[in-house]
Amino acid sequence: MQLIKTRLIAAIGGLLIIFSCSVASAQTSDPDWVQYVGAREIAIPALVVNVADYGARGDGTTMNTAAIQRAIDTCAARGGGKVIFPTGSYLTGSIFLKSNVELHIGGDVKLLGSQSLSDYPEIWTRIAGVEMLWPAALINIIGQKNVALTGTGIIDSQGKPFWDSFHSVKKEYEQKKLRWALDYDVKRPRTLLVDGSWDIMIKDVTFQRAAFWTVHILYSSYVTVDGIKVRNNIGGHGPSTDGIDIDSSSWILVQNADIDCNDDNFCLKSGRDWDGLRINRPTEYVLIQNCIARRGHGLITFGSETSGGMRHIIARNLQAKGTRIGIRFKSAPTRGGIVEDILLQDIKMDKVGVALKVEANWFSAYNIVVLPKEYANKTIPDHWKALAAPVLPARRGIPTFRRVTIERVRALNSTTAIQAKGSESSSILDFYLNSVHIEAKEAGTIQYAKGWSFKNATIRTPDGNRVKVVNSSDMTGL
C-alpha cells in the first residue's frame, strides 16, 4: 500500500498547488499509527518575497540577519508565501521563521552562519535534556505551524570557532572534575531548531559544519524531515555535532537522510534527570526510514536523555558506513524513563565498531554530578543547580529498556558484535533478535539482562567465541 503523507502547497499563477511527498511503501504489518507520522499538510500561499528587495547581499561578507528577517516578517504579515534568495552566499545570524512561510534555499545559494556568538540571541530552550538559556539556532521555528525549509542549497554553520572554544576549556573542566558542566557552559548555536511547532517540512537541504546539534526537533509534532544531507566533518571534527535529534516530540517522520557527523547520527531524547522528570514528556510515534549514517557515534541512538520515556518507534532500511556504533541505547542511573516498544529492521552495517550497544550507566564523568567542595558556598549558575538537583526517591532515576525487536540485520567488519550492560536494579528486558548476522573481531558480552531471544541469529568471530552472558536469565537461542 502506497501512503501519501505530506502535501507541500506552493504557488503557480497566483494559485495554490499541491506537491505530494510519498512515504515509502507501508508494510502490511505496520501499526496503525505509522500512517499518521509527518507533516499533515503544508499550505504555502502564492506570494514570493525576494530577500534582495530588503537589502540582503549574497557576497559572503555582508551581515544579512536584519534583511532576511524583514523579508520573512513581511511575507508572514501578508499571509505567508515563499522567501527566496538570488544566487550567492549570505552571511547571517539567527533568523526566525513564521507560520505559513517557506524559506527556500536554492541550489545556487549558500547560507553562512555567523561565527560570532553575539549574533545568536539567547532564548529559553532545552539543551541536552535541561531547560536553560542558550543561544538561538541559526534558523528557528518556534511556536509556529505550517512552515517549510526547502531547496537543494547549503546551510553552512561555519562551526569551527565554536568547536575550538569547547576544546580550549575541556582539559581545565576535566581537571576540576566539572566534565558534567562542560557541554552546558560552552554555548554553541544549533543549526536548525523546531520548537513547540507542528506541521513542519524540512526537505532536501544540505547542512554543513554545525557548531553544535544540526537539526533539533523539540516539543513538536507532525514534522517531516526528508532528503536532507548533513556534512559536519569538513575541516575537522566538532564536538556534539549530532545529525538529527528528536526530543520529547511525536508524530515525526525522518526519511532519505544522509548524515556524516561527529556524534549521534539519528538520536532520540526526552530529558535529563530531575529536569527531564519534571517535564515528563515522551518521544513517541516516530518513523525513521531509508537513511544512511556515515561517520558518527551512532547510526541510531536512544538516549542518553531518557527521562520522559520513548515508545512506538520504528527505524528501518538503514545503513551504517564506518559509524562508531550501530544500534545504541544509553542512559544513566539518575535519568529514569522507560524506553519500550521499539522496532528496528532491515539494517546494514559495514566497518561499525559495535553493532549493538546498550548502556544503563553511560559516561559517568558526564552523567554523575558532584559539585566540588570549592563551589559549596559560592553562587552557581541556574543550570548547574538543575543538573545537581537530586532525583528522589532514587529509584525514579533507574532507566528501563524493554520490548525491543531487532530483525533482518547484517553487520560486516565490526569490532564487537554486542556490548550490553544493565544494572543490578534494572535488567535489560525482552530484546528479540531475529535474522541477525554479525561478523566481528569479538563476540562481546551481555550483562544484567533478562528475557532475550535470538532466532536465526549468527555471530561469527575469528576465534569462534560466543557472546559471554553474565548475571542474566531467560536467555534463549545464543
Side-chain angles (χ1 to χ4, degrees):
M1 177 177 64
Q2 185 79 5
L3 299 178
I4 303 300
K5 282 302 303 155
T6 303
R7 300 190 299 169
L8 177 58
I9 303 178
I12 288 182
L15 301 174
L16 297 182
I17 65 167
I18 298 174
F19 297 100
S20 295
C21 296
S22 61
V23 174
S25 296
Q27 300 181 15
T28 56
S29 59
D30 278 344
D32 288 344
W33 62 261
V34 169
Q35 63 187 304
Y36 300 111
V37 298
R40 293 166 293 188
E41 183 173 273
I42 305 297
I44 303 299
L47 179 67
V48 176
V49 174
N50 192 320
V51 298
D53 294 336
Y54 295 83
R57 297 176 61 184
D59 56 15
T61 58
T62 300
M63 183 56 67
N64 291 293
T65 311
I68 296 171
Q69 193 62 57
R70 281 196 298 271
I72 293 168
D73 292 348
T74 299
C75 186
R78 294 179 180 175
K82 179 188 287 189
V83 176
I84 64 171
F85 297 77
T87 299
S89 296
Y90 295 82
L91 182 65
T92 181
S94 295
I95 57 176
F96 297 81
L97 301 189
K98 302 292 179 66
S99 296
N100 307 316
V101 171
E102 174 188 354
L103 187 70
H104 184 75
I105 313 297
D108 53 0
V109 173
K110 181 180 286 188
L111 220 58
L112 300 174
S114 169
Q115 295 181 318
S116 174
L117 198 59
S118 62
D119 289 318
Y120 302 88
E122 290 202 338
I123 61 174
W124 187 255
T125 186
R126 179 196 261 178
I127 287 294
V130 175
E131 290 192 341
M132 60 180 291
L133 286 171
W134 189 266
L138 178 60
I139 300 174
N140 300 269
I141 306 172
I142 302 175
Q144 306 298 316
K145 63 180 180 179
N146 189 44
V147 179
L149 173 62
T150 66
T152 57
I154 294 172
I155 299 173
D156 185 347
S157 294
Q158 304 192 108
K160 192 173 186 304
F162 299 103
W163 307 347
D164 294 344
S165 68
F166 179 91
H167 289 304
S168 69
V169 299
K170 182 179 179 181
K171 185 175 180 180
E172 175 189 354
Y173 269 64
E174 290 176 339
Q175 289 174 341
K176 291 182 177 180
K177 299 189 183 303
L178 291 172
R179 180 60 186 85
W180 52 267
L182 175 62
D183 293 71
Y184 301 88
D185 285 4
V186 183
K187 295 183 176 181
R188 297 151 285 161
R190 294 157 288 186
T191 303
L192 170 63
L193 170 65
V194 179
D195 181 357
S197 298
W198 63 99
D199 289 325
I200 308 298
M201 166 71 81
I202 314 300
K203 185 167 175 58
D204 293 338
V205 180
T206 294
F207 297 91
Q208 291 182 178
R209 298 190 293 177
F212 188 57
W213 296 352
T214 309
V215 176
H216 186 193
I217 302 169
L218 173 65
Y219 302 152
S220 294
S221 57
Y222 300 108
V223 178
T224 295
V225 180
D226 187 3
I228 72 166
K229 294 182 177 66
V230 174
R231 296 292 182 262
N232 286 339
N233 293 312
I234 298 174
H237 304 286
S240 304
T241 57
D242 293 21
I244 300 173
D245 292 292
I246 303 169
D247 191 352
S248 291
S249 294
S250 57
W251 307 107
I252 309 299
L253 171 64
V254 175
Q255 62 183 5
N256 308 315
D258 185 328
I259 295 180
D260 185 86
C261 65
N262 195 42
D263 210 315
D264 295 315
N265 297 66
F266 300 87
C267 189
L268 297 101
K269 301 173 177 289
S270 63
R272 171 173 178 160
D273 300 351
W274 172 84
D275 200 57
L277 291 166
R278 172 182 65 85
I279 295 167
N280 193 31
R281 181 167 174 173
T283 286
E284 58 186 351
Y285 303 112
V286 176
L287 174 62
I288 301 173
Q289 62 184 5
N290 309 327
C291 294
I292 298 173
R294 300 181 191 275
R295 287 169 294 181
H297 289 188
L299 163 60
I300 183 164
T301 300
F302 299 83
S304 68
E305 294 96 71
T306 60
S307 298
M310 303 172 193
R311 59 197 179 215
H312 310 312
I313 295 163
I314 297 176
R316 62 192 179 197
N317 300 319
L318 308 181
Q319 297 181 58
K321 301 181 178 183
T323 316
R324 184 178 299 181
I325 298 171
I327 299 167
R328 187 175 198 182
F329 295 82
K330 58 181 181 177
S331 192
T334 53
R335 198 120 315 156
I338 299 173
V339 178
E340 62 183 349
D341 296 328
I342 311 297
L343 174 60
L344 307 166
Q345 59 186 186
D346 299 308
I347 297 173
K348 297 179 181 178
M349 309 181 202
D350 186 31
K351 298 180 181 177
V352 167
V354 183
L356 169 61
K357 191 165 188 176
V358 187
E359 303 165 278
N361 187 11
W362 168 77
F363 196 1
S364 59
Y366 171 82
N367 286 307
I368 306 302
V369 177
V370 178
L371 195 67
K373 292 181 180 179
E374 59 265 33
Y375 293 95
N377 297 314
K378 294 182 179 179
T379 301
I380 61 174
D382 287 342
H383 62 273
W384 283 28
K385 295 176 184 177
L387 287 163
V391 173
L392 298 174
R395 64 178 178 273
R396 289 189 69 204
I398 304 301
T400 298
F401 297 118
R402 68 188 185 194
R403 295 201 298 273
V404 174
T405 298
I406 302 171
E407 59 187 14
R408 299 190 297 277
V409 173
R410 184 174 179 83
L412 304 178
N413 304 304
S414 294
T415 303
T416 305
I418 300 175
Q419 289 179 347
K421 187 176 182 180
S423 66
E424 293 184 22
S425 54
S426 182
S427 295
I428 306 166
L429 302 172
D430 302 331
F431 272 51
Y432 305 100
L433 283 76
N434 303 323
S435 300
V436 172
H437 176 84
I438 304 173
E439 296 182 9
K441 293 179 181 178
E442 300 177 359
T445 306
I446 299 174
Q447 303 178 66
Y448 298 110
K450 183 178 180 180
W452 284 43
S453 172
F454 291 77
K455 184 177 181 181
N456 299 324
T458 304
I459 296 175
R460 292 182 178 174
T461 62
D463 56 16
N465 286 342
R466 301 173 65 181
V467 175
K468 186 178 181 180
V469 179
V470 180
N471 295 319
S472 301
S473 61
D474 300 329
M475 309 289 282
T476 61
L478 262 180

